[in-house]
Amino acid sequence: MVQAHLLLGQWVLAKKQLDQVRMSERGNDYWRLLSLYWLSVDPNDKALSIHHQALQKYPDDDFIWNNYGVLLGLKKRWGEACNAFEKADTSRLLKRQSVQINLSRCAIRQNQVNLAGNYLKQAKEIADLPLIGLMTELNLVLIQGSNDKARLIFNNIQADKEIARGSVHFDEYNCLSRHLTARETDPTLYSSASNFTCLHGSRY
């Protein structure tokens, strides 16, 4: 029931169901859902406290570590966020796509282009990239100066542009669009790799 309410954005109902879970039944699934609830509703100090409690109980839970990293990213605590994503990555034998995408974004922020590409490759091996993964890839190829490849990726994003426009990554989508247009307008000006990024100010 909690999962259904969270998927539908019914935060009050989700919290009501979570509060009804008995103390004796508050296991790993409960803390994962509570983490997701606080991340979705209000990334404030209470949310940080909840994640600290969850990680004390389940220090090797990659899902909670990844959510904690996203929460830190929302607060622009990028270094701590990247450390949390690394914890998520090492806490699980099987790679989680969202973690690999977040690690790629961390590497881009740190100007580690090759490492960013490796993480993104791992994410693509798991499944087709979601919107945030496509925008991460577009950012990466623009840094590498691959304008033709960038256009192909952007066309894929535009196929879901209504989703992009309604997402938390709207500013990043607009930034990428502007940079791609500028590069196509004057390709001689942007013919080589750069340290440009549209990630600043965006969430993970």
Side-chain angles (χ1 to χ4, degrees):
M1 288 294 294
V2 174
Q3 285 179 307
H5 290 317
L6 290 173
L7 285 171
L8 293 171
Q10 298 170 337
W11 315 122
V12 174
L13 292 175
K15 186 61 166 62
K16 183 178 180 180
Q17 291 288 333
L18 284 166
D19 289 344
Q20 290 177 2
V21 177
R22 297 174 183 171
M23 292 295 295
S24 60
E25 297 175 347
R26 294 184 177 184
N28 189 215
D29 288 341
Y30 166 83
W31 285 98
R32 283 186 168 198
L33 290 169
L34 191 63
S35 161
L36 192 56
Y37 166 79
W38 280 104
L39 181 62
S40 302
V41 173
D42 192 1
N44 56 19
D45 290 342
K46 174 69 173 179
L48 284 173
S49 175
I50 291 295
H51 281 79
H52 290 160
Q53 292 177 53
L55 289 169
Q56 285 180 350
K57 294 178 178 294
Y58 300 98
D60 297 321
D61 190 287
D62 63 309
F63 183 88
I64 298 173
W65 272 115
N66 189 55
N67 283 357
Y68 183 49
V70 173
L71 177 62
L72 291 167
L74 286 169
K75 293 181 170 295
K76 304 188 187 307
R77 292 163 59 175
W78 307 121
E80 293 172 82
C82 292
N83 288 337
F85 296 137
E86 288 172 7
K87 284 275 193 179
D89 190 42
T90 57
S91 297
R92 180 180 170 94
L93 292 176
L94 295 177
K95 301 293 184 183
R96 186 184 292 274
Q97 188 184 55
S98 58
V99 174
Q100 302 310 304
I101 292 171
N102 286 331
L103 284 170
S104 180
R105 293 169 74 80
C106 283
I108 290 173
R109 286 183 180 279
Q110 297 161 0
N111 296 319
Q112 296 176 308
V113 176
N114 290 336
L115 182 60
N118 290 337
Y119 282 130
L120 205 56
K121 181 181 178 182
Q122 292 173 7
K124 293 169 75 173
E125 289 172 351
I126 296 170
D128 291 339
L129 291 177
L131 175 62
I132 185 56
L134 289 172
M135 290 199 289
T136 304
E137 185 177 31
L138 176 54
N139 208 113
L140 181 60
V141 299
L142 284 172
I143 290 172
Q144 295 168 328
S146 304
N147 295 344
D148 290 341
K149 186 175 181 181
R151 170 50 62 184
L152 291 174
I153 298 169
F154 189 73
N155 288 344
N156 286 335
I157 293 174
Q158 279 199 309
D160 293 322
K161 65 182 179 181
E162 293 306 321
I163 297 175
R165 287 174 178 169
S167 78
V168 293
H169 301 289
F170 182 55
D171 289 343
E172 185 172 334
Y173 169 80
N174 282 336
C175 176
L176 290 165
S177 177
R178 289 194 303 271
H179 277 277
L180 177 57
T181 300
R183 287 162 188 251
E184 290 178 331
T185 301
D186 190 353
T188 59
L189 190 62
Y190 302 97
S191 58
S192 59
S194 72
N195 61 358
F196 134 89
T197 175
C198 273
L199 300 183
H200 293 297
S202 70
R203 63 176 283 174
Y204 281 102

